[in-house]
Amino acid sequence: SLASWRNVVARDCRTLQYAPNQQRLDKKLVLEAVRQDGNQIKFAGGMLASNKEVVLAAVSQAGGAIRFVDRELQADKEVALAAVTSDGLAFQFVDRLLREDPDVIMAALQSNGLAIS
């Protein structure tokens, strides 16, 4: 049941990958997982990797998770800033045009001085 999967994922987010596809369509379940480890977004079902709320939760926890999200959101400045603020090295996965944005560059460098090389 969904409630059982929520309990399992709450204890260990890595179990999301073993949840049935139908359960991985549940936004609350996926949010629980990505708040623990943003990279779990790669196991999100359906369009949840395109859902801005889920994506922001994921990249805020693990900036590099931006590489697993919809390209349109990789080009979203709010998402990009959250990702590079969390992990400056996520800069490499941000949309090409945003890699020229002074705000994104500065946030990445403040997070990790080696982010842009």
Side-chain angles (χ1 to χ4, degrees):
S1 75
L2 182 56
S4 296
W5 275 104
R6 284 187 183 157
N7 287 332
V8 169
V9 169
R11 285 193 305 270
D12 184 353
C13 66
R14 296 170 299 177
T15 58
L16 179 63
Q17 66 184 304
Y18 304 112
N21 288 338
Q22 182 179 359
Q23 308 302 344
R24 288 190 271 150
L25 295 171
D26 182 73
K27 185 176 174 183
K28 288 182 182 178
L29 179 72
V30 173
L31 276 169
E32 177 68 42
V34 301
R35 286 180 178 142
Q36 293 177 50
D37 176 4
N39 291 306
Q40 296 303 309
I41 198 165
K42 65 186 167 191
F43 301 114
M47 299 298 293
L48 288 177
S50 300
N51 178 286
K52 191 168 180 178
E53 179 185 358
V54 174
V55 168
L56 281 170
V59 301
S60 294
Q61 197 287 323
I66 196 170
R67 69 184 175 273
F68 300 120
V69 306
D70 184 77
R71 287 216 183 273
E72 185 175 312
L73 287 173
Q74 289 176 349
D76 181 286
K77 187 171 179 176
E78 183 182 5
V79 171
L81 284 169
V84 300
T85 298
S86 171
D87 178 0
L89 297 178
F91 184 79
Q92 64 186 311
F93 302 114
V94 170
D95 182 79
R96 181 181 52 80
L97 292 176
L98 285 175
R99 281 183 256 154
E100 298 172 8
D101 184 290
D103 297 332
V104 175
I105 293 168
M106 186 58 66
L109 288 172
Q110 287 175 341
S111 175
N112 184 324
L114 302 175
I116 300 169
S117 54

